Structures are given as C-alpha cells and as structure tokens.
C-alpha cells in the first residue's frame, strides 16, 4: 500500500535510462496513457520486462493518480487468470517517489492497434476475442470488481507461439468490492464514451457488472463493424439524453454479420441494465450459440488478425430484428 507520506509530486521524473530502486533499468518508452507510462526495462539478471510508472500531471491530480495506480496493483495482485494481465513486482522508486508496477514483456499488441490497422475482423475472429475477454472479466466480477474501462486498447492480444491469448488490462478505474470508494463521486461520469454504458455516463459510482457487459459488446461491435457504434462522444451523449434513440443496427455497418450474432450483441446493448444480458456468462453463452460450438472451441491464431475478406464482405445476411430484452433470445 502507498503510505500517506508518499502522496506528493515526484521530482525528478522517471525517464529513459533511469534505474528504478537499483533493480530495473529503463530502456525505451513502449506507450503512454492518461494514468501511466510503460517502459521497456531490464530486470534482475537481464530479464526484459514492461515497467509501468505513474504519469506526472498537475499537483492537484497527483494524489488521485496514485490512488488509482494503487487500485490497479490491488486488482492485479488479488486475481490470477490467463485472460487477465499479471504483474511481477510493484513498489515506489526510492529516488523519485514514483509508484510503479512490473509486468511480463509479452509479445503482441492491443486490440485497438489491430483495429486501427485492419478495420473489421472476420466475425468468427472478433467473437472469439470477445469470448476470451469475457472469461477474464468474469473472474473480476466474481471477486466483486467492475472494470469500468473495457475498450480495445485495454485488451492485449498476446502472441504465444502461433496462438493468441487475450489479456484484459488497465484496472485503474475499477470499482472494488461493490463500492467505488472516495475516488468516484455520485453522478460523476468515468470511462471512455465510445464503450461506456448509459448508466455509467450519469453515475460511474453506481455502475455494476452489467456496465462491463455493455462495454465488451461495444468492443465487439467495433471489431465487427470496423468502427464504434458512436464515433464521437457527442453522439453517445445524445443517445443517452434522447430515450427514443437506439444503438445503430450492427448490420447497417456490417451486413455480412449473421442475424444470430447481431441479436446476441444487441442484447448486451440495451439501454436498461435490467433488459440486457444479466452477466458475462450469459453473454458468453449467447455468443457461443450464435457462432457455433465448433468455431468457439478452435484456437485463435495470430494469422487470423487480418481484415475481413472480400468474400465475407460480399455476403448480405438477412436483416435481424433487434431484441428488446435478452429473454427474447431464449426463444430462438
């Protein structure tokens, strides 16, 4: 845990060539987000690792950044699953006071980078990516944790030999133990609008596991259609305010997606949390039934992470009638 005395603006910053606690030598920057910077680093014995350090912003934001960083460490330490990002070590650098965590250096890239490069994935590939993410998120939910920031860039596609293993990452916005604590005020929106559930947009503090059901379905929508359902934050908030609006029909952007898959996705994208799939296990079952058992159980191969084929694009599936509640899918 980070002690109160350590909640201060850290100077100097960590940078390339810094040595963290005489253990990790930073080599190059791998990426940067709102909360953290990730470096390639040499660990003990020359082991290559990924070290994530807190991002330095305004002094007024420092305490909250540290608290969210500590939250991510808590989640990673408490749960272990093939489809969750693990950590190897964590601490506070004794020279700069900067919190950090150490992760294995995995080969691969995040789903956001893949979609930026290829656009739409083949339906069978997109659904299998989502199904793996569902399995990791289900363990979070069983532990009383809601991720609250599921999006393509937070799904890392690890290349393990020729196969792909999906790792859910970045737990800095997670809601622990059924309560958000002091970090999230009631009525405060938090997350990424393109993938955020309607109820989370008005009060992240009261969002439950069904918000992650919505978010993973929005990620799947993006992977199938090659674009988010709401491409701008304004269009999403317009949807939230206008109760007559619906999520754009998936087949409007991807007519080659089957009606069964389309209905399963939209059953997770219903405005009312009570109307959508009640949990990720039900969503996983609905997607598996829509895709077919034979394809669901097949390994996800690295070479499948390519753009949807011309042959697939040439198909025009019958337009699906969208469900008004997930129960409608139980009747076939």
């Amino acid at each position: 845990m980070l002690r109160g005395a350590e909640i201060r603006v850290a100077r100097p910053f960590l940078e390339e060539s810094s040595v963290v606690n005489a253990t990790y030598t930073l080599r190059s920057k791998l990426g940067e987000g709102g909360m953290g910077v990730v470096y390639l680093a040499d660990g003990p014995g020359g082991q290559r690792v990924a070290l994530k350090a807190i991002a330095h912003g305004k002094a007024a934001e420092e305490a909250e950044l540290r608290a969210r960083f500590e939250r991510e460490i808590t989640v990673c330490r408490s749960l272990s699953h093939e489809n969750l990002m693990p950590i190897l070590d964590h601490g506070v650098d004794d020279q700069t006071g900067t919190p950090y965590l150490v992760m294995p250096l995995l080969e691969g890239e995040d789903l956001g980078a893949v979609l930026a490069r290829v656009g739409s994935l083949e339906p069978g590939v997109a659904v299998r990516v989502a199904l793996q993410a569902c399995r990791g998120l289900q363990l979070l939910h069983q532990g009383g944790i809601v991720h609250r920031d599921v999006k393509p860039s937070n799904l890392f596609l690890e290349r393990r030999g020729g196969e792909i293993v999906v790792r859910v990452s970045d737990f800095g916005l997670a809601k622990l133990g059924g309560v958000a604590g002091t970090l999230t005020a009631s009525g405060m929106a938090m997350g990424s609008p393109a993938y955020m559930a309607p109820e989370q947009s008005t009060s992240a503090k009261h969002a439950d596991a069904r918000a992650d059901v919505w978010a993973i379905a929005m990620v799947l929508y993006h992977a199938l259609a090659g674009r988010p359902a709401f491409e701008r934050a304004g269009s999403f908030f317009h949807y939230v305010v206008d109760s007559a609006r619906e999520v754009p029909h998936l087949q409007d952007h991807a007519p080659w997606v089957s009606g069964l898959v389309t209905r399963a996705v939209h059953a997770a994208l219903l405005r009312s949390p009570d109307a959508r799939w009640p949990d990720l296990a039900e969503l996983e079952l609905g997607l598996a039934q829509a895709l077919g058992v034979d394809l669901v159980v097949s390994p996800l191969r690295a070479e499948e992470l390519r753009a949807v084929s011309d042959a697939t694009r040439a198909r025009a599936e019958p337009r699906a009638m969208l469900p008004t509640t997930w129960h409608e899918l139980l009747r076939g």
Side-chain angles (χ1 to χ4, degrees):
M1 300 289 286
L2 304 180
R3 296 181 294 276
E6 294 170 330
I7 298 179
R8 62 184 186 277
V9 177
R11 297 290 188 273
F13 301 156
L14 289 178
E15 56 188 2
E16 293 178 18
S17 78
S18 294
V19 180
V20 179
N21 281 353
T23 304
Y24 301 102
T25 303
L26 306 186
R27 294 303 182 191
S28 60
K29 186 182 293 186
L30 295 176
E32 185 170 1
M35 189 178 74
V37 183
V38 181
Y39 294 94
L40 170 67
D42 292 335
Q47 176 192 16
R48 285 291 175 97
V49 296
L51 185 145
K52 181 175 181 179
I54 190 172
H56 296 279
K58 299 176 182 178
E61 300 170 349
E62 190 81 7
E64 182 170 348
L65 283 174
R66 285 172 175 260
R68 296 198 185 286
F69 203 83
E70 181 176 338
R71 173 177 291 181
E72 180 167 11
I73 291 170
T74 299
V75 172
C76 291
R77 289 186 63 194
S78 64
L79 299 170
S80 177
H81 189 277
E82 181 178 57
N83 297 120
L84 297 177
M85 184 67 74
I87 64 169
L88 305 174
D89 190 14
H90 65 93
V92 178
D93 179 49
D94 53 14
Q95 295 297 313
T96 65
T98 302
Y100 67 89
L101 60 86
V102 180
M103 302 169 287
L105 185 64
L106 303 178
E107 181 183 355
E109 59 187 331
D110 66 65
L111 179 61
V114 172
L115 296 180
R117 185 174 68 251
V118 307
S120 304
L121 294 172
E122 290 285 344
V125 176
V127 171
R128 282 183 288 156
V129 169
L131 289 175
Q132 286 198 40
C134 281
R135 292 163 198 152
L137 288 166
Q138 281 180 63
L139 186 66
L140 292 185
H141 294 175
Q142 290 166 12
I145 300 167
V146 184
H147 189 288
R148 295 196 299 182
D149 197 22
V150 178
K151 56 187 177 182
S153 61
N154 285 341
L155 301 183
F156 189 82
L157 309 183
E158 178 191 358
R159 292 178 181 246
R160 188 181 297 173
E163 294 188 14
I164 295 294
V165 177
V166 180
R167 302 272 201 172
V168 181
S169 66
D170 201 339
F171 307 102
L173 295 185
K175 176 181 174 182
L176 309 183
V179 295
T182 58
L183 294 179
T184 309
S186 180
M188 177 180 178
M190 180 180 298
S192 302
Y195 312 98
M196 186 192 305
E199 67 274 15
Q200 188 175 334
S201 71
T202 55
S203 179
K205 185 172 185 177
H206 296 106
D208 60 23
R210 293 171 296 182
D212 286 348
V213 171
W214 170 286
I216 195 63
M218 271 300 184
V219 170
L220 178 52
Y221 187 113
H222 184 170
L224 291 166
R227 47 155 286 172
F230 303 105
E231 293 190 287
R232 300 179 304 278
S235 63
F236 167 69
F237 287 113
H238 192 186
Y239 161 80
V240 172
V241 172
D242 185 354
S243 60
R245 279 179 167 259
E246 296 182 352
V247 174
H249 199 298
L250 173 58
Q251 290 176 319
D252 287 345
H253 305 295
W256 56 84
V257 176
S258 74
L260 290 176
V261 169
T262 297
R263 283 169 57 80
V265 172
H266 276 276
L269 298 178
L270 296 168
R271 188 186 298 268
S272 168
D274 292 332
R276 72 181 75 127
W277 294 109
D279 54 49
L280 285 166
E282 291 288 353
L283 172 59
E284 182 180 354
L285 180 60
L287 289 172
Q289 290 177 335
L291 191 62
V293 174
D294 289 345
L295 189 52
V296 166
V297 300
S298 63
L300 185 59
R301 310 295 299 184
E303 59 267 22
E304 293 183 277
L305 298 178
R306 59 179 183 270
V308 63
S309 70
D310 291 341
T312 298
R313 285 184 179 275
R315 294 202 310 261
E317 295 284 341
R319 188 173 178 84
M321 180 176 293
L322 300 185
T324 58
T325 172
W326 72 279
H327 295 93
E328 294 176 23
L329 276 73
L330 302 181
R331 298 194 291 271

